[in-house]
Amino acid sequence: MTDDVRNVIVVGSGPAGLTAAIYTARAALEPLVIEGEPSSTSDQPGGQLMLTTEVENFPGFPTGITGPELMQSFRAQAERFGSEILTAKVSRLDLSAPPFSVWVGGPEGDPTYRARAIIIATGASSLMLGLDAERRLLGHGLSTCATCDGFFFRDQDICVVGGGDSAIEEALFLTRFARSVTVIHRRETLRASKIMQERAFANEKLTFLWNSVVEDLIGDQRLEGVVTRDVETDELTTHPFTGAFVAIGHRPNTDLFADQLSLRENGYLQTFDGRSNTSREGVFACGDVQDDWYRQAITAAGSGCMAAIDVERWLERQGH
Ligand code: NAP
């Protein structure tokens, strides 16, 4: 426990959190970024870009850059201006009144840190299908991250579940390794952007299983097959896929503060007036935890900048 009260603590280290860190650091607010810590290949500090292969649409990189490289640059830039970055998970937050309390390592005892302002940038996590077998087979043939695990599926027949940009991006990446990749989608048109669709349809290793949902995953120690159900005929089919990647969207990471701040109906953190203000004065939010609409690295970064400026003005108004 420290008696020091920091100006600002940023929780999360994706594009939003690290942009907030760059801006608050340059405003001499000496931010502390609590970046999270790895608990699996698909849960790493740095947010969803750590699980992304090529990023082609982040302005300033005309030939593209990998997600992890981009996040390493964000991090280096935040540190260059004096951000302190702590590799740990926040275990508890008390946002009842400033100074706000933050615990890391465990929720008991005195708080580890206190701060006049908090920026929440905890992002969003992959949704799963809700099958019992998922827990057993995650990491054993079942994955949510092609970048992390694609290499292990060389010359195998595998599938990707979903029809959005993530699913198509993962599927295209996986064709570099796998013998065949089948996209299993619950409708007969993709949600993915036109350019991704065109690439997908042009790739000979990719095939599509339309109007189909995954009903079960087969295998005790490792994935040995995937059972799909045709939503129109209810017909069940078992496919001998030895790899399955789930890419059906995300849920916002709000567990730490869901009972303390207003959430929207869909569970995303509510911000007000087109700014980063949350329902609690002094607590600001940016990135995917509060954005169910744009969900891009560049919009997350932009909202991190907004949160930093909002914090700066809030602290000024409080006389700090
Ligand atoms: P998304 O756009 O929400 O797509 C989710 C997909 O999964 C949809 O096709 C959805 O089907 C399907 N789905 C959802 N729940 C399902 C379930 N329980 N069972 C089976 N299928 C299910 O999510 P996303 O692909 O992760 O993309 C999120 C955002 O990031 C989007 O704005 C996207 O454009 C962006 N993004 C961009 C890039 C890029 O530009 N390179 C890459 C990745 C993501 P329906 O279509 O029937 O709803």
Side-chain angles (χ1 to χ4, degrees):
M1 162 73 172
T2 169
D3 286 336
D4 294 344
V5 177
R6 308 197 62 127
N7 286 315
V8 57
I9 290 178
V10 181
V11 185
S13 59
L18 290 176
T19 302
I22 292 167
Y23 272 76
T24 49
R26 288 193 81 251
L29 295 177
E30 299 175 328
L32 169 66
V33 181
I34 305 181
E35 68 167 352
E37 64 186 338
S39 58
S40 71
T41 50
S42 55
D43 175 19
Q44 302 182 31
Q48 295 171 64
L49 279 190
M50 296 302 286
L51 313 177
T52 303
T53 40
E54 220 39 36
V55 181
E56 292 180 332
N57 51 11
F58 200 91
F61 299 92
T63 55
I65 181 167
T66 69
E69 274 172 342
L70 182 57
M71 290 325 298
Q72 187 45 47
S73 304
F74 270 72
R75 205 175 187 282
Q77 197 170 352
E79 286 184 311
R80 181 179 155 214
F81 296 111
S83 305
E84 186 183 340
I85 300 184
L86 178 73
T87 306
K89 274 192 197 303
V90 172
S91 44
R92 181 179 154 200
L93 276 176
D94 181 350
L95 303 175
S96 43
F100 305 108
S101 297
V102 181
W103 285 256
V104 296
E108 308 301 334
D110 291 333
T112 325
Y113 299 100
R114 290 186 301 153
R116 297 183 181 96
I118 300 280
I119 296 177
I120 292 174
T122 47
S125 308
S126 303
L127 286 175
M128 300 302 288
L129 298 166
L131 303 170
D132 287 343
E134 273 176 331
R135 199 170 303 200
R136 183 175 79 242
L137 292 170
L138 195 61
H140 303 281
L142 178 68
S143 171
T144 57
C145 175
T147 331
C148 319
D149 301 329
F151 184 79
F152 302 117
F153 295 89
R154 203 170 275 282
D155 297 325
Q156 298 184 32
D157 297 312
I158 64 175
C159 67
V160 173
V161 187
D165 277 323
S166 299
I168 300 307
E169 190 177 71
E170 303 254 299
L172 286 167
F173 176 71
L174 289 166
T175 59
R176 297 187 199 177
F177 307 101
R179 183 166 48 209
S180 76
V181 180
T182 302
V183 174
I184 302 173
H185 185 35
R186 63 185 179 182
R187 294 186 294 131
E188 58 186 0
T189 51
L190 294 174
R191 181 180 293 282
S193 54
K194 280 283 171 278
I195 185 168
M196 298 295 273
Q197 294 198 27
E198 280 165 18
R199 283 182 201 171
F201 294 138
N203 190 309
E204 285 176 0
K205 280 189 175 181
L206 266 189
T207 53
F208 292 85
L209 198 55
W210 303 112
N211 296 317
S212 297
V213 292
V214 174
E215 204 69 5
D216 202 2
L217 303 169
I218 297 174
D220 289 329
Q221 310 291 323
R222 276 204 66 77
L223 182 74
E224 289 164 7
V226 172
V227 182
T228 58
R229 178 172 58 83
D230 186 307
V231 294
E232 290 177 338
T233 62
D234 269 346
E235 188 186 344
L236 296 177
T237 310
T238 301
H239 310 266
F241 298 135
T242 48
F245 289 78
V246 178
I248 60 170
H250 300 89
R251 75 174 274 276
N253 298 321
T254 56
D255 291 350
L256 268 178
F257 45 79
D259 53 349
Q260 302 183 66
L261 300 174
S262 296
L263 306 181
R264 299 206 301 278
E265 249 175 32
N266 60 6
Y268 281 74
L269 186 53
Q270 188 159 20
T271 50
F272 296 87
D273 308 325
R275 304 223 172 102
S276 65
N277 313 24
T278 66
S279 54
R280 186 61 42 94
E281 276 204 47
V283 180
F284 301 84
C286 52
D288 283 13
V289 70
Q290 52 84 56
D291 174 17
D292 64 330
W293 187 252
Y294 298 106
R295 295 187 293 194
Q296 301 299 303
I298 187 68
T299 50
S303 74
C305 163
M306 289 162 64
I309 291 173
D310 289 339
V311 162
E312 212 182 318
R313 293 182 182 161
W314 148 262
L315 289 173
E316 218 167 76
R317 284 202 302 279
Q318 306 305 306
H320 297 298

